[in-house]
Every structure is written in C-alpha cells, then in structure tokens.
C-alpha cells in the first residue's frame, strides 16, 4: 500500500517512523517532510491547494491512504477535496476528518455547542460575536476570576488569555472583538469558567463508528523549568500519565470518547482519523478543555513508540470500516520525550547552526522538527529543533535515559527543560537535583 503523509514536524517524523515499520507499506511519501522523515520515506514538494497537482500525484503514485498530521489542511477541507474529486473515484482514504468534523478544533464555539448538546463534561461558557462587546463585558461582570477568554478560531495555540485582572480581561475582549487581535479567529470569543486541576492529552482513533483509545500523555507547555515563562508548542511529554489511572481513563472512555463519537454520528458528521481530547482532571473527573482533530506534538513522539500495533493496519481498518476488529496493543513501559529547543524560543531565535551528535544517540529515538539540510550539513531551522524519546521501566529510568540520550546532541542555542517528568517522581532526592541528570 502506498501512503502520503502530510506535515513537517516532530509529530510527522514519529508517524513516518511508525508507518515505515508496517509490513503493509510499499511506498511512503511525506509532503513536505523534514530531514528526519527522509530516513523513512520520500519527501515531496506538493502544493495541497493545487487540486490538479494533488490529484495527479495521488493517481500516479497510486496512493491509497493520505494521513494528515496538522489541523490546518483539514479545517481547510483537504479531506473533502480528495473524497469528492470524481477523478479519484473514492479510491483514497483520508486519515483526518472532513472540514465539518474539523470544526471541533477549528471553532471553539462549535466545539462547546457540540459538547453541551451531547452532555460531554466541559466548562460552562458563553460566546459573543462582533458587535456584542457590551454584552461580553456585562457577562464578564457576572463571572468569577480567573477569566478564561478564547478566540473562536485557529490562532496557532495562542488564542487563549487567562487573567484574574478584570481590566486586562476587558481590554482583551475589546482587542479581540474590535481591535483585530488574532484576526478573524478573534471575531467571536468564548468566555468560560476556569477549571482547576491537572491537564492531560487523551487520544483516540476512529472510523466514525467505532473507536480505539490510544495511550494518554502529559505535555509540558511552558518554556521554563517548573512550568514558568511563556507557553510553547510543548517542551516535552510523558506517557502514561500518573494522575490518569485505569478508573480515570475508563471515565474518559465512557463520558468523553464514546459520547463524542456517538454525537458525531447523531449529528450526521462523518469522522475518520485521530481525535485529541485536551482534558482537565478536576478531582478525578475529566472535563474537556478542547478538542484537536489530530495527534499532539510532542505527545505523538511519546505515544507512538509505546504503540505495539501496526499503525497502517489501524488506518486500513478505517479505510474498510473494520476498525472494531483491530487491536491496539500498548507497551507498559514509560516513555519520556524531551524537546531540544532553540535559545530564545518561543520568541526570536537564530537558525542555521550545525547540529552534531545524533548518530551517537543510543537507546532512544530522535525525531526532528526544526531542522534543515544546508548542503550535506544538518542545521537548526526552528524553535523546537528535535525531540528525544526514551523508555524506562518506570518514570525515573525513562527520565534518566532521555537525558542521557539527549546529551551527545550539540548545536549552538541548545535549550531543554531539565524537569520533564519530575513531577511524577515520588522520590524527593531525584526531584531536588534535576541538574544531576543533565
Ligand atoms: P486551549 O488552547 O483551549 O488548549 O487552551 C490553552 C490552555 O489554557 C490550556 O492548555 C489550559 O492550560 C488553559 N485553559 C483553557 N481553558 C481553560 C479553562 N476553562 N480553565 C482553566 N484553564 C484553561
Ligand atoms: N502539544 C499540544 C498540541 O499538540 O496541541
């Protein structure tokens, strides 16, 4: 079977690595891919908005499965354009929903409305459009701090403002609804109740009728050790999550995953691919903070190495509507993923510095994201440069292995969080000396 994977991050490198292990695979193409994905398939330049070029590529290369890594192309209707192209005769399965289903991520208002209609636990909310600034400010007055203000549309993960300062909250509402902050994504805002708890990322794969849970992960979003400083795309991940035990995950299955898939069916929204449930564990009860219609980055780099099952076999299950007959087998060990970032990220940073030492890494997986080839040299080319995933029989062993494995990789500006996973370590001695594991 020939497969086209869309994307260029660490998530897609991990997906390419996993797909390439399948005995069902003939050729893997990655558009555009990165220097890491070249090891597992062929990187191709493909303008996804050029329907003719896309169609020709899919036909010439006899692609049967298109896997979409990021949400953007899904929200923009890539699935619809492939599925509805009469010249492709429905021969290509897209892993990732149509534009309608992608609204679960593309519009917070849509997602909240969906959750309330289907009794899926989430924070109480109200949404306000352009011209409703006064009503929004009035509503703010009835809320309790901290205030959670979200731009409705896609804003590269930056569209959420949480503040206890009512003046800042009011200013934020004005900027979004009238000042063009976040562009069209902010023309509608969602004001929601603040949930106090611990966050985790839960995942499922579905053919729209049945679904299988995948391993859950915890993402470390802030740039600084001890969860300090600005938000990033994610500085590391661990899987499994110590505060998501079997009972909690059963609640996630019964109260979130199952009603979501049933809700999509009831609403007549076909859905194929992954669903990422961003959850808050509030006193052991799961609440949905957000849906994403894709896998997470860097969560994927922690969960796919734990997946023993053949990923392409699961995709084939989606293609033939027989996912219920497939099996998801998960490695019991703990995976820790440490992101090697670039000094200055998530603000300004330099690029073009040579990266050395990847070949010296043993007992770990290295997934590339912000890298490029300059002649035959691998150089830095983004804020998050690489990620390193290692296994351990427990969290301590996995943390040690990840840091030991990351240490030979060198480049100017290398920055990493030394505390990924340490919150899960019960032993105070290890907790107190994060530097010792560098
Ligand atoms: P989102 O883009 O919806 O994932 O939100 C970004 C971050 O804001 C989340 O990862 C949470 O840390 C936080 N957040 C979002 N909604 C809430 C909420 N209702 N209560 C508390 N924290 C929230
Ligand atoms: N790591 C969070 C995300 O992928 O959205």
């Amino acid at each position: 079977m020939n497969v086209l994977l869309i994307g260029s991050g660490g998530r897609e490198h991990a997906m390419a690595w996993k797909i390439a292990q399948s005995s069902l695979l003939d050729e893997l193409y990655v558009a555009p891919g990165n220097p890491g994905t070249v090891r597992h398939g062929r990187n191709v330049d493909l303008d996804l908005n050029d329907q003719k070029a896309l169609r020709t590529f899919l036909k010439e290369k006899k692609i049967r499965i298109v896997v979409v890594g990021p949400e953007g192309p899904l929200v923009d209707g890539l699935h619809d354009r492939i599925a509805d192209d009469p010249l492709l005769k429905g021969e290509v399965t897209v892993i990732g929903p149509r534009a309608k289903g992608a609204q679960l991520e593309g519009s917070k208002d849509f997602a909240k409305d969906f959750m309330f209609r289907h009794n899926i636990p989430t924070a109480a909310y109200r949404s306000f459009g352009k011209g409703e600034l006064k009503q929004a400010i009035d509503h703010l007055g009835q809320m309790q701090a901290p205030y959670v203000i979200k731009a409705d549309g896609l804003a590269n993960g930056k569209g959420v403002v949480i503040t206890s300062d009512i003046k800042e909250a009011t200013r934020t509402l004005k900027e979004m609804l009238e000042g063009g902050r976040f562009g069209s994504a902010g023309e509608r805002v969602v004001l929601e109740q603040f949930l106090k708890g611990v966050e985790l990322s839960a995942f499922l794969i579905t053919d729209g009728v049945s679904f299988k849970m995948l391993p859950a992960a915890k993402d470390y979003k802030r740039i600084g050790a001890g969860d300090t400083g600005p938000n990033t795309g994610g500085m590391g991940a661990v899987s499994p999550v110590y505060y998501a035990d079997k009972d909690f995950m059963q609640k996630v299955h019964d109260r979130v995953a199952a009603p979501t898939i049933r809700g999509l069916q009831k609403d007549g929204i076909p859905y194929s691919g992954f669903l990422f449930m961003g959850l808050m564990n509030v006193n052991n009860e799961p609440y949905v903070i957000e849906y994403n219609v894709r896998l997470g980055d860097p969560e994927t780099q922690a969960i796919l190495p734990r997946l023993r099952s053949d990923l392409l076999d699961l995709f084939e299950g989606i293609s033939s509507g027989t996912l219920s007959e497939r099996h998801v087998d998960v490695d019991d060990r703990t995976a820790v993923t440490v992101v090697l970032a670039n000094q200055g990220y998530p603000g300004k940073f330099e690029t073009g510095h040579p990266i050395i030492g990847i070949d010296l890494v043993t007992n770990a997986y290295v997934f590339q994201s912000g890298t490029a080839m300059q002649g035959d040299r691998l150089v830095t080319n983004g804020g998050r440069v690489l990620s390193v995933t290692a296994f351990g029989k427990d969290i301590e062993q996995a943390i040690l292995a990840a840091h030991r494995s990351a240490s030979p990789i060198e480049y100017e500006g290398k920055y990493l969080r030394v505390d990924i996973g340490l919150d899960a370590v019960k032993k105070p001695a290890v907790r107190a000396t994060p530097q010792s594991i560098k």
Side-chain angles (χ1 to χ4, degrees):
M1 192 175 351
N2 294 347
V3 176
L4 170 66
L5 169 65
I6 312 281
S8 64
R11 167 182 52 210
E12 287 77 21
H13 186 178
M15 291 172 102
W17 164 80
K18 184 70 187 161
I19 292 168
Q21 291 166 32
S22 172
S23 57
L24 301 170
L25 181 72
D26 292 312
E27 290 284 346
L28 173 64
Y29 299 90
V30 193
N34 67 35
T37 58
V38 171
R39 294 172 189 225
H40 313 293
R42 251 183 256 183
N43 285 0
V44 290
D45 251 340
L46 191 59
D47 180 357
L48 299 179
N49 294 316
D50 181 342
Q51 185 68 12
K52 193 160 168 257
L54 176 65
R55 179 197 304 134
T56 304
F57 182 86
L58 296 175
K59 282 174 84 77
E60 273 181 7
K61 303 296 185 200
K62 298 192 171 59
I63 304 290
R64 287 292 161 268
I65 307 252
V66 175
V67 189
V68 187
E71 68 282 4
L74 295 167
V75 174
D76 289 346
L78 180 63
H79 183 140
D80 307 70
R81 284 197 287 112
I82 293 174
D84 300 341
D85 187 325
L87 296 176
L88 290 171
K89 303 189 205 109
E91 286 170 353
V92 182
T93 297
V94 181
I95 306 300
R98 285 176 176 264
K100 182 81 185 148
Q103 286 299 95
L104 282 181
E105 176 165 1
S107 165
K108 304 228 184 254
D109 189 33
F110 177 92
K112 294 297 279 190
D113 184 56
F114 177 89
M115 287 185 261
F116 271 88
R117 250 179 313 117
H118 299 294
N119 280 317
I120 296 161
T122 187
Y125 83 110
R126 286 273 307 269
S127 87
F128 300 90
K130 255 188 152 173
E132 292 181 308
L133 178 64
K134 191 185 168 311
Q135 291 90 322
I137 293 173
D138 284 350
H139 185 66
L140 208 55
Q142 295 159 30
M143 286 172 68
Q144 278 184 356
Y147 309 101
V148 181
I149 305 166
K150 300 186 173 183
D152 175 54
L154 291 183
N156 278 326
K158 298 193 178 76
V160 178
V161 174
I162 299 178
T163 176
S164 292
D165 177 354
I166 190 139
K167 281 194 195 128
E168 190 192 344
T170 307
R171 198 167 57 238
T172 303
L173 280 178
K174 272 189 196 142
E175 284 170 1
M176 285 193 194
L177 286 174
E178 291 186 346
R181 183 166 172 192
F182 306 121
S184 59
E187 284 176 6
R188 176 162 281 280
V189 298
V190 167
L191 283 180
E192 76 180 40
Q193 170 205 8
F194 181 80
L195 297 171
K196 197 165 160 34
V198 275
E199 278 183 73
L200 71 143
S201 308
F203 301 94
L204 62 78
I205 184 166
T206 181
D207 55 12
V209 179
S210 69
F211 69 92
K212 303 274 179 189
M213 295 297 288
L214 297 173
K218 170 177 174 162
D219 176 22
Y220 293 74
K221 291 179 200 284
R222 303 292 194 95
I223 189 70
D227 292 326
T228 54
N231 257 324
T232 69
M235 291 299 294
V238 301
S239 177
V241 183
Y242 67 98
Y243 47 81
D245 60 11
K246 222 170 153 216
D247 282 354
F248 181 81
M249 288 313 292
Q250 190 64 45
K251 289 182 191 169
V252 174
H253 176 284
D254 297 348
R255 298 183 197 168
V256 179
T260 299
I261 301 304
R262 268 200 312 270
L264 287 165
Q265 281 177 274
K266 273 190 204 151
D267 291 355
I269 303 173
Y271 195 104
S272 64
F274 297 103
L275 183 71
F276 169 157
M277 295 157 279
L279 303 175
M280 191 72 91
N281 175 335
V282 182
N283 298 324
N284 258 328
E285 303 297 325
Y287 285 80
V288 179
I289 298 176
E290 61 165 355
Y291 288 118
N292 296 310
V293 298
R294 53 172 173 83
L295 288 178
D297 189 337
E299 291 97 323
T300 304
Q301 294 92 305
I303 67 171
L304 286 190
R306 292 190 65 217
L307 184 67
R308 286 218 186 93
S309 314
D310 180 336
L311 189 56
L312 199 43
D313 181 55
L314 297 177
F315 293 162
E316 156 61 29
I318 291 178
S319 178
S320 54
T322 57
L323 185 66
S324 61
E325 296 162 20
R326 313 292 157 128
H327 197 63
V328 169
D329 189 19
V330 175
D331 193 320
D332 282 340
R333 289 175 300 166
T334 298
V336 168
T337 300
V338 175
V339 170
L340 308 195
N342 216 334
Q343 200 69 51
Y345 172 77
K348 281 203 177 109
F349 51 81
E350 293 178 9
T351 58
H353 295 300
I355 302 167
I356 56 166
I358 294 181
D359 297 342
L360 302 176
V361 175
T362 49
N363 294 326
Y365 305 106
V366 179
F367 299 116
Q368 301 191 25
S369 3
T371 61
M373 293 307 290
Q374 214 171 62
D376 55 5
R377 283 199 315 185
L378 186 70
V379 298
T380 57
N381 192 42
R384 292 188 294 172
V385 180
L386 308 147
S387 48
V388 175
T389 298
F391 275 121
K393 68 175 179 1
D394 56 27
I395 183 82
E396 282 104 323
Q397 296 298 321
I399 293 170
L400 285 166
H403 284 276
R404 217 176 268 140
S405 304
S407 64
I409 301 176
E410 291 292 350
Y411 54 85
E412 201 175 318
K414 177 180 169 186
Y415 170 81
L416 54 86
R417 262 183 74 166
V418 293
D419 65 333
I420 303 301
L422 281 188
D423 52 315
V425 175
K426 310 265 171 359
K427 287 185 187 148
V430 179
R431 239 186 214 231
T433 55
Q435 285 79 3
S436 66
I437 57 169
K438 246 182 117 178

